[in-house]
């Protein structure tokens, strides 16, 4: 991916897509544009934006900033796919975006598939809630058999090295 291309997959420059939303220069015009900016914020490790773009109700929706930062930084972000939207336009007050965020972490490829609810609060789109769709985690590298050479490069069989 070209360095200045937005991570959200829009094909636009970051400075003309999610960048101004993440920096606070502009507000997301639609629920989908906020979803795209939130994905880009995970890619760019902009955790403060992730927290600030959530509906905040006392005692609810608190996110663990350290765990969110850890997930963002330890993951290799592979792409975003928007499966569909319902409402969430500039004149709506609520919207739904179904999406998949693809990433790899600790040698495993995963898909975070979610049906996300968004609400407009004081004229600004915010993430309100999400329902995860179960997915299958796939290894990003093949599993070594017991009698195969150890993937660590020691020259020993896996069962005599890292497979103990």
């Amino acid at each position: 991916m070209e360095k200045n291309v937005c991570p959200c997959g829009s094909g636009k420059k970051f400075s003309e897509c999610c960048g101004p939303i993440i920096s606070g220069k502009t507000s997301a015009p639609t629920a989908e544009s906020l979803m795209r900016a939130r994905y880009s914020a995970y890619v760019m490790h902009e955790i403060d934006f992730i927290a600030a773009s959530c509906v905040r109700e006392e005692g609810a929706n608190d996110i663990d900033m350290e765990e969110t930062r850890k997930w963002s930084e330890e993951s290799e972000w592979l792409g975003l796919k928007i499966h569909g939207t319902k409402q969430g336009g500039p004149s709506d007050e609520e919207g739904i975006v179904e999406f998949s965020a693809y990433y790899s972490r600790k040698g495993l490829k995963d898909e975070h598939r979610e049906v996300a609810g968004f609400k407009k609060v004081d004229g600004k789109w915010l993430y309100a809630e999400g329902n995860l769709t179960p997915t299958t985690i796939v290894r990003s590298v093949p599993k070594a058999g017991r009698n195969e050479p150890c993937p660590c490069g020691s020259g020993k069989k896996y069962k005599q090295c890292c497979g103990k």
Side-chain angles (χ1 to χ4, degrees):
M1 175 169 52
E2 198 176 310
K3 191 173 185 176
N4 62 355
V5 174
C6 194
C8 81
S10 68
K12 299 176 185 174
K13 290 182 179 180
F14 179 72
S15 62
E16 298 170 358
C17 190
C18 294
I21 297 169
I22 293 170
S23 70
K25 290 179 182 168
T26 63
S27 294
T30 65
E32 181 180 336
S33 61
L34 179 61
M35 180 62 253
R36 289 180 176 282
R38 286 175 55 83
Y39 173 80
S40 293
Y42 276 104
V43 174
M44 311 287 275
H45 317 303
E46 295 284 349
I47 306 310
D48 291 340
F49 175 79
I50 300 295
S53 62
C54 292
V55 171
R56 308 298 275 175
E57 294 174 11
E58 196 171 319
N61 300 325
D62 289 331
I63 67 168
D64 184 329
M65 295 291 281
E66 196 50 45
E67 280 302 311
T68 302
R69 185 175 314 283
K70 189 175 173 183
W71 184 42
S72 169
E73 292 174 355
E74 290 180 358
S75 298
E76 177 188 355
W77 298 94
L78 306 172
L80 174 69
K81 180 177 181 181
I82 304 293
H83 299 290
T85 60
K86 184 177 179 184
Q87 297 180 310
S91 61
D92 294 319
E93 295 297 314
E94 293 186 350
I96 295 172
V97 179
E98 184 174 357
F99 71 94
S100 291
Y102 300 95
Y103 66 97
S104 177
R105 185 175 181 207
K106 298 181 181 180
L108 298 175
K109 286 184 181 175
D110 199 359
E111 173 187 1
H112 175 97
R113 186 162 182 160
E114 183 176 328
V115 177
F118 294 84
K119 290 183 181 178
K120 243 189 214 172
V121 177
D122 297 327
K124 235 177 128 174
W125 282 108
L126 296 173
Y127 173 83
E129 63 184 343
N131 295 307
L132 295 178
T133 303
T135 60
T136 302
I137 297 173
V138 180
R139 291 181 186 277
S140 59
V141 293
K143 182 177 179 181
R146 291 180 39 77
N147 290 316
E148 293 178 20
C150 191
C152 77
S154 67
K156 297 180 182 179
K157 288 184 179 182
Y158 178 71
K159 68 181 178 185
Q160 296 171 333
C161 189
C162 296
K164 287 183 177 183

